[in-house]
Amino acid sequence: MYKSKYGSTLLLLLLMLLCPASASAQQPKGTWQKLPLATKVIDKATGKELITAGEGSQYVMALTYSASNPNIAFFGTDTSGIWKSEDGGKNWRPVFKGFTSHGSCSIMVDPVNANIVFAVGYLGYLGRKESEPYKQQIQGIFRSMDGGESWAMVHPTPFYRRPGKGTLFAVDSSSVKNGATQTLFAAGSDEGLLRSDNNGLSWKKMTLTGDRVGELHDIKQLGTGKGDLILAAANGLFKVSGNRAARIGKNLPSFPYTVAVTPANPNIVLTACGKDGIYQSSNGGATFTKATWAASAANGLRISSAVVSDVAISPVDANIAYARLDRIGKYGPFYSHDGGLTWKMPDNTNLDRSMQDENFYFSSPFAPHPQKADVALHVSNGHARIIRTEDAGKNWNYSGWGFTGALLESMAFQAKDSTYLALVDHGIRHTRDGKFFKSVPINRLHGAKSCGAIAVREKYILVALGAWNKKGIALSKDGGNTWAYNTGIETAKGTAFIHPKKAQYMFIGQGSSINGGAIWQPLGNNATGVLTLYASVEIKKSGEYKLLAMGNANGKAQLYESRDYGETWQKIGQPMPCGLQAVMRAAAVEEKIYVATSWLGVQVLDLTSYSGTWKTAGKMERDAIGQLHVEAVAVNPNNPQEVWAGRRSPGLGKGQGLLYSNDGGDNWVAVSVAGMPLFSIWSLAVSPFDETLYVGTWYGTFTFTPQKGLSGKTGK
């Protein structure tokens, strides 16, 4: 082809006239939907169709009713803030406006005013030592004056993980004025006992005299006395009157994880004392007697080694109490009908058999109904599904419609009617209609079922499996019926690929196999070092694929390319302006690769450019704490100009959510959806069949279905 010395300039001018630069990205047009990973079960006995429409899956830390309006209930999780029910705890929705903390571990509704709600905002499921690296974490006391619909922080103060799920708020019920409780108490991790005398608008640290209390685990109003409290603390059990703390609890063998009292009988006090079991007091906490387990409860359970973490008592019947063990997988809540002296196991924790997998594991809070003695809410905290009893603990049923939280890590679009979801902590789900999902049976690896990258071809399923930061390989060749496992290859980061026509070529994370998974070897060679696969791209001319992997080059992330399925690799472009540890995820088309980074936004490399220089894709605003963390990036496979970026603020609060570009990442527009909390994005994927965008968040999965396809086509 003939070129003049003016050819490049003329061509550039022509392109500018035909394709003027976009000054700003346009909002995409389409429909947003929440995607509960609903299950559908047919009861064999009755033929009844049973459906759950809320997978739970986030760790519930707090659960409470409104005393003045029991139709109102709240719970808080470690990662998705606060959820609200307006039908007594059956259906739930997130209420997050202004609540900028990562999670919530205690919630209290003003006992006389359901519009006034208080919540502890904290870092998530982290203890004091794990929280230390996050110096900018958003933690403190939040207050809502409109029933939880919007929030404002009224007192910043640290809160950390505790051994049980006790409450961190209490009231002086004699201080009601102008339709609200004036004197409130809160238990900070660093500041200790806090007090407010203006309905929580401002808080001050209390200086306690008397016995040394230590870090607080649970606080309750004691009896009907003005401002009298009972504290479960690191140094034991204490009664606080005014500013004086006095140790109580004779015969308690260890510090109490949680404490329970009831206005139905102020003399009854229960404590959960870990491996020492449950203790009951009938004289206001002065002395205690060890509770016993009924034969049905102790049978088959190593009760001597069980950690009893949580206790609760009905506020209207002092005989009805509940308890929960920590880290005992298959045992649900226990109940007592004699004020906590003896304990029994429930007859059934899944009475209507609607839950496929209950999984009671972590310690969990209770919310006894403020008016109905036989009713209480609880949570499984393995799969974290809200459950409800209406017979004082004998039987429990699913009560978590709308509570979505399964964290989508990766997706595989096998066919238009077959999609696989790889979930953090909760294995694999498969759907054929996009509405109902089935769990794919798979064993634990490295002690867990947290999934990472996934690829599916015909009956082959290849997935990263294990703990959060330590994953191996799980491979099925029969659609998930049987699995082979490999713990020698690290797959915690990266993507997965199975050749669509030559299934013997498969790659995942840092592993490669050219014989169908019979032998796995590290990805890369002596020259490159170990590589991590981040993308695979079809070469249009040949129909073959190239692999794009990242390695470490003198402390910088270096992109490598292979066109012969890992036999040889060559460097592509200059090293990235960040280390390999900052690389989160990547998406690629034949001409470009986009990389989400933890502090440089989206980095893009033009694979056809001779300069090989990485550039920042467009301009993104820093979040409220100054970070530019992008967790995920995705490209529409039918239109490479359309790029999505997902942001989060790890452990520090809410991220800046979802961004969209229709010009290859040169310009971004924030995509907000009323009523949908797309604050912290974890993963993104675009279906090649209909261009539907799947968004993984701490609130569960959301989908965006474009109008006639974002590219103006209907998809494949």
Side-chain angles (χ1 to χ4, degrees), residues 371-505:
Q371 297 174 7
K372 299 178 181 179
D374 291 343
V375 176
L377 297 174
H378 188 48
V379 59
S380 61
N381 267 353
H383 284 299
R385 295 188 177 99
I386 305 297
I387 58 176
R388 175 186 175 97
T389 182
E390 296 184 354
D391 58 9
K394 293 181 180 180
N395 294 280
W396 298 80
N397 264 328
Y398 174 81
S399 193
W401 289 272
F403 172 29
T404 56
L407 195 55
L408 178 63
E409 173 76 29
S410 181
M411 297 186 72
F413 301 99
Q414 184 184 32
K416 191 173 183 179
D417 62 349
S418 180
T419 302
Y420 287 82
L421 281 65
L423 306 175
V424 174
D425 293 332
H426 298 290
I428 303 172
R429 299 290 189 275
H430 181 224
T431 180
R432 290 196 173 276
D433 59 8
K435 297 179 181 179
F436 297 104
F437 296 79
K438 289 187 177 181
S439 178
V440 178
I442 193 168
N443 293 333
R444 294 176 181 271
L445 203 62
H446 296 301
K449 280 188 180 181
S450 193
C451 290
I454 187 170
V456 179
R457 291 286 185 267
E458 297 180 348
K459 290 186 177 290
Y460 285 80
I461 305 174
L462 176 66
V463 66
L465 181 69
W468 268 61
N469 296 315
K470 187 178 183 181
K471 290 181 171 65
I473 299 170
L475 174 64
S476 174
K477 298 182 179 181
D478 56 9
N481 292 314
T482 60
W483 293 86
Y485 302 93
N486 183 300
T487 59
I489 300 292
E490 179 57 61
T491 60
K493 296 189 76 172
T495 190
F497 171 72
I498 304 175
H499 196 290
K501 297 179 181 179
K502 306 170 186 177
Q504 70 269 25
Y505 292 114

Side-chain angles (χ1 to χ4, degrees), residues 83 97 140 152 225 249 457 496 549 618 708:
W83 297 67
K97 183 179 179 181
R457 291 286 185 267
K708 296 182 181 179

Side-chain angles (χ1 to χ4, degrees), residues 238-249:
F238 297 84
K239 179 180 178 181
V240 172
S241 296
N243 290 324
R244 182 169 181 80
R247 184 186 299 275
I248 58 174

